[in-house]
Structure formats: C-alpha cells, structure tokens
Amino acid sequence: MSLVNEWNDLLKNQTDDTFEDFWKEYSDAEMRIYDDILANNKVNFTGRFAALAEMYKVRPVIFCGFLDGIQDSLQDGALDMDAVDEDTEIDFTIDFAKLFTNMLKADARHLYSLKAWENIYTEDERKELIKQYKRSKTIVKPKKIGRNDPCPCGSGKKYKYCCGRNAS
C-alpha cells in the first residue's frame, strides 16, 4: 500500500477512541515541522523522504500527511503523492505567502500565529496578508436599481418605464 493510501486510510478509520491521540500526534508533528521551516526560512525543502521523517521524529505516514497538506502552498505545483515512498527524493519550493493564506483558509490559528512567522514576515506584513485574505472573501453586492431610479441604459426614462418594464 502506498504511503498516501495509508494516510487516507488512517484518516478515514479514526474512531472515537483513536481520534484525539491521532490528531494530537499529527498537529504536534505539523507544528514542529512548520516551526523548523519558518525559523530557518527554508524555502527549498529537499531530502530523502525517510530521512526527513526521521529528522522531524514523525512516523512516515504522518510525514506523508504533512506533505499532502502543504501541496497548495508550493511554487512549482503539487507533488505526485501516489509515487511517494520512503526512498523518494523530496524537492520543492514553498511559497510562504500561499502557505500563510492557506493556513488562514484552514482556520489554523495554531499555525498562522506561530512565533516563527516573525522570521518571514513583519507583523505589519502579516496583518496585510490577513487583510488581503479577508478582502478576497468579501462579497460586494451591486446596488439594486429602484423602480423609480433613472434607467442604467442611459435613456433618461425611469427604470420602471424602460428596461424594468420587462424585468420580473
């Protein structure tokens, strides 16, 4: 079974008894890895899969889950997770702006508020990224045309006697 299939099975087969321990193991590993990446400003992430998992002191299946989760934050596109095994050479470049935004999207406060982000972005830059993210989610509805307003077509007539006559 491939590592990504093992990861997906692990996710699907959580029970009430295993759920809390599993997520604690995963989130602790994820925070350790991100802390190292951010603290050392590691834009390029390279190495043999098994060696990287061992370096971060995580089970290979958990490290595979981390790699699966960081896919949308890579500059060069996603890794072929189906082809990843313990001997695979990992080589990708992280786009920190995408990573920060994806952490915001996932509502992962524990990740986007890591102190190590200070090595990448100033507080003002992080606030600006948050503002841009919130702005991208804001929906602006166009002003509704009232029936007695001038018609937007420019005819000079009231909307109700012009384009609004056939609107329902």
Side-chain angles (χ1 to χ4, degrees):
M1 179 185 295
S2 73
L3 280 168
V4 74
N5 288 340
E6 191 178 335
W7 168 249
N8 289 326
D9 284 348
L10 186 62
L11 283 175
K12 282 186 234 168
N13 296 323
Q14 291 303 310
T15 65
D16 290 342
D17 296 333
T18 62
F19 183 79
E20 192 171 319
D21 290 337
F22 164 74
W23 280 110
K24 177 162 178 28
E25 178 187 10
Y26 179 76
S27 64
D28 287 351
E30 185 180 43
M31 288 189 55
R32 250 191 337 270
I33 296 168
Y34 280 130
D35 224 12
D36 177 62
I37 290 171
L38 298 171
N40 296 308
N41 203 350
K42 282 188 184 175
V43 176
N44 298 319
F45 200 85
T46 58
R48 201 171 120 265
F49 179 93
L52 291 168
E54 188 176 317
M55 179 176 89
Y56 290 115
K57 297 175 177 57
V58 296
R59 293 187 295 151
V61 68
I62 298 295
F63 190 66
C64 182
F66 168 78
L67 290 179
D68 193 35
I70 200 171
Q71 294 294 313
D72 292 339
S73 302
L74 305 181
Q75 284 184 1
D76 305 326
L79 300 170
D80 180 7
M81 291 304 296
D82 291 326
V84 172
D85 62 25
E86 292 193 39
D87 293 322
T88 302
E89 282 295 321
I90 304 297
D91 184 10
F92 58 80
T93 304
I94 299 171
D95 182 328
F96 285 127
K98 281 184 187 177
L99 180 61
F100 192 83
T101 302
N102 288 333
M103 288 175 176
L104 290 169
K105 283 181 189 173
D107 197 22
R109 181 181 271 302
H110 64 289
L111 295 176
Y112 68 76
S113 62
L114 284 170
K115 186 156 179 58
W117 275 109
E118 294 172 3
N119 295 326
I120 310 296
Y121 295 118
T122 65
E123 185 177 348
D124 289 340
E125 290 170 327
R126 289 191 309 272
K127 284 180 182 177
E128 183 60 30
L129 286 169
I130 291 169
K131 189 189 303 182
Q132 286 173 9
Y133 168 70
K134 287 181 179 179
R135 210 177 277 142
S136 75
K137 291 180 52 165
T138 304
I139 298 170
V140 179
K141 291 184 178 180
K143 183 179 181 270
K144 186 176 177 182
I145 303 166
R147 41 186 271 113
N148 288 318
D149 290 342
C151 190
C153 76
S155 68
K157 297 179 183 178
K158 287 186 179 183
Y159 179 68
K160 67 182 175 185
Y161 294 123
C162 191
C163 295
R165 173 167 266 153
N166 298 325
S168 46

